Amino acid sequence: MSQLQKRDYFYLISSLPEMVLDQSRAPYTMVDFMAQLEEALEPDDFKLVRILLRPHDNRNLLLLLGEQSGDWDTLGQFSEAEMQEALKAENGLPEYMHRFYRAYQSEQPIHPEQSWTNQLSGLYYGAALRQTEGFLHDWLVIERGLRNILAAWNIRHYALQGEGQLIGQGENIEALKKSRARDFGLGTDYPYLPKLLNQLEREDLMIREKDIDRVQWNYIDEQLTFHYFTIEVVLGYLLQLRMLQRWLSLDPQAGQERVRSFISEMEQKIERS
């Protein structure tokens, strides 16, 4: 992959309000910020924003197929009608989504041991990593690693069936499956891992979840220390804004529901294993 042209977005970045994870109000809604970015960024830089937010389209695809419930995710690139039309035409969505849809329709899983949700996530990360470099590429590696580490920790902690729960292949996946070390032997590959494991051992699930986001928030700040007015700063800000808005959208009752849902899901998995 060729090196991306570096552009400075001095005016855009200098106008961004500072944020902390615990503030009581977001400076933008995600929808408004996306509209601002589409206007301010060069087209190929805005494509990186789309890649970063493509999991919202993944969720909408799963929603269409009945594999998830809830409302249409407005952060997706495609409306419900656009996605339905693209699926019928077999054109217009990212290729990995069409590949997934063909496998789903033919009832021939790409990875039979995995849920459809995990198969789609795996295809997304594979495609996104081939299309990115630098900060975004590194973030996607970290994000996928974090998902796998959380899954492996839950499998170990709750004595769950682990087959098909991890996304991707390679030595790190094998370590997550087999290692008995506290850090799965991956402490050098994931510098944030000791802090993450400390948070996972906390009793309160909501505090634990927010502290996990705090680990990610701080990681973004650290990675962007020597970036100033480039697209990397915009992408990092977008990631942090998404985290902040997610927490601001959770009222105490919703938080308790998340805790109860998490516990119920873990209990069900234990019963099935």
Side-chain angles (χ1 to χ4, degrees):
M1 179 174 52
S2 62
Q3 290 291 317
L4 294 175
Q5 180 181 351
K6 293 296 182 181
R7 304 180 181 90
D8 286 339
Y9 293 103
F10 179 82
Y11 178 77
L12 170 65
I13 293 171
S14 62
S15 67
L16 296 177
E18 292 188 8
M19 290 189 300
V20 294
L21 185 58
D22 297 308
Q23 66 190 62
S24 59
R25 186 176 179 180
Y28 310 96
T29 68
M30 284 288 290
V31 172
D32 287 345
F33 190 54
M34 284 287 290
Q36 182 177 342
L37 294 185
E38 188 167 14
E39 183 177 339
L41 298 179
E42 292 293 328
D44 54 347
D45 282 339
F46 190 70
K47 287 179 183 177
L48 300 178
V49 173
R50 288 298 191 192
I51 290 173
L52 182 60
L53 295 184
R54 204 157 279 161
H56 298 276
D57 287 309
N58 293 346
R59 183 184 181 282
N60 286 336
L61 176 56
L62 293 168
L63 191 66
L64 271 185
L65 299 177
E67 292 294 324
Q68 287 200 9
S69 59
D71 299 325
W72 194 259
D73 193 329
T74 57
L75 290 180
Q77 179 177 355
F78 306 96
S79 69
E80 185 172 355
E82 288 171 338
M83 184 171 285
Q84 288 176 330
E85 183 61 31
L87 291 173
K88 289 179 184 177
E90 300 184 0
N91 185 39
L93 300 177
E95 175 53 34
Y96 78 88
M97 297 180 77
H98 286 294
R99 181 186 176 195
F100 172 83
Y101 184 67
R102 290 192 296 268
Y104 187 89
Q105 289 295 91
S106 64
E107 298 183 353
Q108 296 182 337
I110 297 164
H111 299 291
E113 75 282 1
Q114 293 184 353
S115 68
W116 286 111
T117 298
N118 278 358
Q119 289 180 68
L120 182 55
S121 292
L123 289 173
Y124 159 69
Y125 281 113
L129 288 170
R130 289 190 295 272
Q131 298 170 33
T132 56
E133 58 187 23
F135 169 77
L136 181 53
H137 183 92
D138 294 345
W139 169 260
L140 292 168
V141 171
I142 290 295
E143 185 180 60
R144 182 179 61 179
L146 175 63
R147 288 185 56 164
N148 283 332
I149 289 165
L150 292 175
W153 189 90
N154 283 325
I155 290 166
R156 175 191 287 176
H157 188 74
Y158 294 101
L160 304 177
Q161 171 57 248
E163 187 65 28
Q165 298 302 310
L166 305 181
I167 299 170
Q169 296 83 35
E171 293 180 3
N172 287 355
I173 296 296
E174 292 305 309
L176 289 171
K177 289 179 180 179
K178 300 175 182 178
S179 176
R180 297 180 180 273
R182 180 175 181 269
D183 66 353
F184 300 97
L186 298 176
T188 56
D189 292 333
Y190 299 103
Y192 62 82
L193 191 50
K195 292 180 182 178
L196 176 65
L197 292 172
N198 288 339
Q199 306 310 329
L200 286 173
E201 290 164 0
R202 301 190 66 157
E203 294 279 335
D204 188 304
L205 292 180
M206 287 299 290
I207 293 177
R208 176 198 303 178
E209 189 171 345
K210 191 162 192 177
D211 283 344
I212 290 171
D213 272 0
R214 201 180 308 280
V215 169
Q216 296 181 83
W217 186 290
N218 292 338
Y219 172 84
I220 292 168
D221 283 342
E222 291 167 3
Q223 294 304 304
L224 297 178
T225 299
F226 298 108
H227 293 276
Y228 299 102
F229 299 107
T230 63
I231 185 60
E232 287 84 359
V233 177
V234 177
L235 296 172
Y237 194 90
L238 180 64
L239 286 166
Q240 291 178 330
L241 178 62
R242 184 170 59 176
M243 286 185 219
L244 175 59
Q245 284 213 330
R246 185 170 74 89
W247 283 102
L248 293 178
S249 70
L250 291 176
D251 58 32
Q253 182 177 355
Q256 291 302 315
E257 285 297 323
R258 286 173 64 86
V259 172
R260 284 193 288 270
S261 175
F262 177 84
I263 293 173
S264 174
E265 182 182 347
M266 288 299 102
E267 289 174 345
Q268 291 172 15
K269 287 182 178 179
I270 290 171
E271 289 173 1
R272 293 197 297 266
S273 61

